[in-house]
Amino acid sequence: MPFTEYTLKLALSNFYVDKLSMGLQFGADVKLRTTLNAPEDITVQVLTPTLAAVYWMPLKELNCVAVNYEVHWVSVVFLNGTRKITSQQDKQFINQTERTEDGKFFATIRSLLPGQEYLIYVRVYPNNFNNFFTDSLKEIIQMYSEPNNLILSGVSTNRMNISWIPSVKLTIQYKLEYKTDRMRKWQIANNTEVNNGKVTYYIENLLPRTPYKFRLILRYPEYKEDFVWPSDERFTFQTLGK
C-alpha cells in the first residue's frame, strides 16, 4: 500500500534448530516506507549574484491525488580547504508550479548570497503526508560574485567622476544612476568613457556640498529583468564646497 510503514523481521533456521525444537532468533527490526518516486532531471541555473532558477521533471506516476514540492538549499563552506555542508537549511514551498516549454517545473530562489556555494535539491510529498517525502539528487552551484565596487575617481563642487570595472563576459548591459535625498527620480549618467576595460562616468551640474547616492542597473545573460546593485546606500559620495 502507498505511504505505509512496514516492519520487517528476519530469522534464520537450520537443521539443528528444527531437530532440537529451538525457538527462532529474530534480528533487529527493519522499518521500510512506501513513498513517491524522486523528482528527476534536476538542474540549477545561476541568474544573478542573488537569484537562481531550479528546474525538474514532474513525477510520471502518482500514488496519490496531489503532491507538494519544496526546493531546499544549504550553504557550503570551506574549512581548512575542505568542503563542509552547514547545518542551516532553507526551503521554499512551491505554492503554484510553473512550467517551461519542454514541460519541466521551475522555481526561482531569491536572496541568495553572492559568491556563496549552495547544495540544492527538490523534495516531493503527498498533500496530507509531509513526513512521507522523497528528495531528488543534489546539485551544487556557485553564485556569481558581487559586481566590482564603484570608485570616486574625481570630485569638485559641481562634478564627480565615478569609475567601475564590469565583470568580463558576465554583465551584458549596464548603466549608472544617481540621486540625492530630495530628488524623486534616479538620473542616468550618460557621459561615459571606456579605457582598458574600465568605465568612467563624468557627472556634471551637481549641487555643492551635497551627498549623492549611486547604483548600477545590470543585465545578466540568463535573466530578462534588471538587477539593481547595491540594494543599500554604500556608494554615497559628496561634492566639495564650504
Side-chain angles (χ1 to χ4, degrees):
M1 294 180 64
F3 319 122
T4 304
E5 184 174 87
Y6 292 90
T7 300
L8 305 181
K9 293 178 178 291
L10 179 64
L12 296 177
S13 177
N14 57 31
F15 171 80
Y16 297 101
V17 171
D18 295 337
K19 192 72 173 177
L20 300 175
S21 300
M22 298 172 59
L24 295 176
Q25 298 296 317
F26 287 88
D29 292 350
V30 177
K31 295 185 181 295
L32 297 177
R33 285 181 175 180
T34 54
T35 59
L36 294 165
N37 294 328
E40 297 180 345
D41 198 15
I42 176 174
T43 56
V44 184
Q45 186 176 48
V46 177
L47 302 178
T48 74
T50 60
L51 297 177
V54 184
Y55 302 86
W56 69 94
M57 289 300 296
L59 299 185
K60 297 177 182 178
E61 296 182 3
L62 293 178
N63 295 328
C64 57
V65 176
V67 296
N68 291 327
Y69 291 99
E70 289 178 354
V71 176
H72 289 241
W73 61 96
V74 186
S75 300
V76 179
V77 297
F78 286 85
L79 297 176
N80 298 324
T82 303
R83 177 184 282 136
K84 181 180 180 181
I85 308 299
T86 64
S87 58
Q88 183 177 356
Q89 184 174 123
D90 295 293
K91 66 180 179 181
Q92 177 176 317
F93 176 75
I94 310 303
N95 188 32
Q96 184 175 359
T97 52
E98 299 180 88
R99 286 181 182 255
T100 61
E101 292 182 357
D102 60 358
K104 283 188 174 182
F105 287 158
F106 73 93
T108 302
I109 308 176
R110 303 179 182 276
S111 301
L112 299 175
L113 296 178
Q116 177 65 53
E117 192 170 286
Y118 288 95
L119 183 146
I120 298 177
Y121 60 94
V122 178
R123 173 169 293 179
V124 62
Y125 55 87
N127 268 358
N128 299 322
F129 296 92
N130 60 2
N131 58 327
F132 285 86
F133 60 82
T134 307
D135 293 339
S136 70
L137 295 177
K138 297 173 174 60
E139 292 286 321
I140 292 182
I141 61 165
Q142 177 83 39
M143 298 302 296
Y144 295 149
S145 298
E146 278 194 328
N148 294 316
N149 288 336
L150 296 173
I151 304 297
L152 178 64
S153 54
V155 61
S156 67
T157 55
N158 59 1
R159 296 182 181 183
M160 282 189 189
N161 299 341
I162 305 295
S163 299
W164 179 65
I165 300 176
S167 301
V168 179
K169 298 181 181 180
L170 192 56
T171 49
I172 56 176
Q173 293 180 17
Y174 50 84
K175 61 183 176 182
L176 180 71
E177 294 185 337
Y178 64 95
K179 71 184 291 290
T180 66
D181 287 334
R182 295 185 177 182
M183 297 169 65
R184 292 185 177 181
K185 295 183 179 181
W186 289 86
Q187 306 297 309
I188 300 175
N190 291 313
N191 187 8
T192 64
E193 179 184 54
V194 180
N195 187 16
N196 293 327
K198 181 173 71 174
V199 183
T200 301
Y201 298 87
Y202 300 98
I203 306 164
E204 301 178 344
N205 300 320
L206 302 178
L207 298 174
R209 199 175 174 79
T210 303
Y212 284 84
K213 305 170 189 175
F214 292 87
R215 70 180 188 181
L216 288 166
I217 309 299
L218 305 171
R219 278 294 181 97
Y220 287 84
E222 303 299 333
Y223 192 55
K224 297 180 180 180
E225 299 180 21
D226 290 337
F227 177 72
V228 180
W229 183 83
S231 57
D232 54 29
E233 300 178 359
R234 73 184 76 171
F235 299 119
T236 300
F237 306 117
Q238 182 170 307
T239 51
L240 302 179
K242 296 181 179 180

